[in-house]
Amino acid sequence: GKAWRFGPPKTKLSRRTIPLPASVAADLRAHRRTQAKWRLKLGEAYADHDLVFAGEFGTPVLNTNLSRRVLK
Protein backbone atom coordinates (compact mmCIF):
# COMPACT_ATOMS: atom_id res chain seq x y z
CA GLY A 1 0.00 0.00 0.00
CA LYS A 2 0.94 3.60 -0.41
CA ALA A 3 1.72 5.76 2.58
CA TRP A 4 2.73 9.38 3.03
CA ARG A 5 6.38 9.91 3.90
CA PHE A 6 7.77 13.19 5.14
CA GLY A 7 11.45 13.94 4.95
CA PRO A 8 14.15 15.82 3.11
CA PRO A 9 14.38 15.66 -0.70
CA LYS A 10 16.32 12.75 -2.18
CA THR A 11 18.97 14.99 -3.76
CA LYS A 12 20.22 18.58 -3.46
CA LEU A 13 18.79 19.29 -6.92
CA SER A 14 15.32 18.34 -5.68
CA ARG A 15 15.16 21.53 -3.57
CA ARG A 16 14.35 24.55 -5.73
CA THR A 17 13.44 28.20 -5.41
CA ILE A 18 10.38 29.14 -7.45
CA PRO A 19 9.65 32.81 -8.15
CA LEU A 20 6.07 33.83 -7.34
CA PRO A 21 4.13 36.96 -8.23
CA ALA A 22 3.55 39.21 -5.22
CA SER A 23 -0.20 38.51 -5.36
CA VAL A 24 0.35 34.75 -5.06
CA ALA A 25 2.79 35.24 -2.17
CA ALA A 26 0.17 37.39 -0.40
CA ASP A 27 -2.50 34.72 -0.96
CA LEU A 28 -0.19 32.04 0.46
CA ARG A 29 0.55 34.18 3.54
CA ALA A 30 -3.21 34.63 4.11
CA HIS A 31 -3.70 30.88 3.70
CA ARG A 32 -0.93 30.25 6.25
CA ARG A 33 -2.70 32.52 8.76
CA THR A 34 -5.90 30.48 8.29
CA GLN A 35 -3.93 27.27 8.91
CA ALA A 36 -2.51 28.78 12.10
CA LYS A 37 -6.07 29.36 13.36
CA TRP A 38 -6.94 25.69 12.66
CA ARG A 39 -3.82 24.57 14.53
CA LEU A 40 -4.69 26.70 17.56
CA LYS A 41 -8.31 25.57 17.56
CA LEU A 42 -7.48 21.86 17.29
CA GLY A 43 -4.39 21.84 19.48
CA GLU A 44 -2.80 18.39 19.67
CA ALA A 45 -5.47 16.96 17.35
CA TYR A 46 -3.87 18.88 14.46
CA ALA A 47 -1.21 16.78 12.70
CA ASP A 48 1.30 19.51 11.87
CA HIS A 49 3.41 18.32 8.93
CA ASP A 50 4.13 21.90 7.80
CA LEU A 51 2.22 21.34 4.56
CA VAL A 52 1.21 24.22 2.31
CA PHE A 53 -2.11 22.55 1.52
CA ALA A 54 -3.40 20.37 4.34
CA GLY A 55 -6.75 19.00 5.33
CA GLU A 56 -8.72 20.41 8.23
CA PHE A 57 -6.74 18.26 10.69
CA GLY A 58 -3.32 18.89 9.11
CA THR A 59 -3.26 15.70 7.09
CA PRO A 60 -2.27 15.65 3.41
CA VAL A 61 -4.97 16.61 0.92
CA LEU A 62 -5.82 14.03 -1.73
CA ASN A 63 -4.82 15.16 -5.23
CA THR A 64 -8.43 15.09 -6.43
CA ASN A 65 -9.55 17.27 -3.51
CA LEU A 66 -6.68 19.69 -4.07
CA SER A 67 -7.84 20.57 -7.56
CA ARG A 68 -11.59 20.36 -6.82
CA ARG A 69 -11.75 22.10 -3.45
CA VAL A 70 -8.55 23.74 -2.26
CA LEU A 71 -7.56 25.49 -5.49
CA LYS A 72 -11.16 26.27 -6.47
Side-chain angles (χ1 to χ4, degrees):
K2 295 181 181 180
W4 293 102
R5 291 186 302 156
F6 300 96
K10 291 181 182 179
T11 68
K12 290 181 181 180
L13 293 176
S14 295
R15 188 174 293 273
R16 298 176 184 89
T17 299
I18 302 170
L20 296 174
S23 61
V24 173
D27 288 343
L28 288 171
R29 281 191 294 276
H31 176 68
R32 195 58 143 181
R33 285 190 295 273
T34 300
Q35 281 183 320
K37 291 177 187 176
W38 294 341
R39 281 194 303 274
L40 285 174
K41 181 178 178 182
L42 294 172
E44 291 184 21
Y46 189 86
D48 192 358
H49 298 292
D50 198 30
L51 301 172
V52 174
F53 297 108
E56 182 178 348
F57 293 96
T59 54
V61 176
L62 297 174
N63 289 341
T64 54
N65 288 342
L66 182 65
S67 61
R68 291 181 189 164
R69 297 177 188 168
V70 177
L71 298 177
K72 184 175 170 183

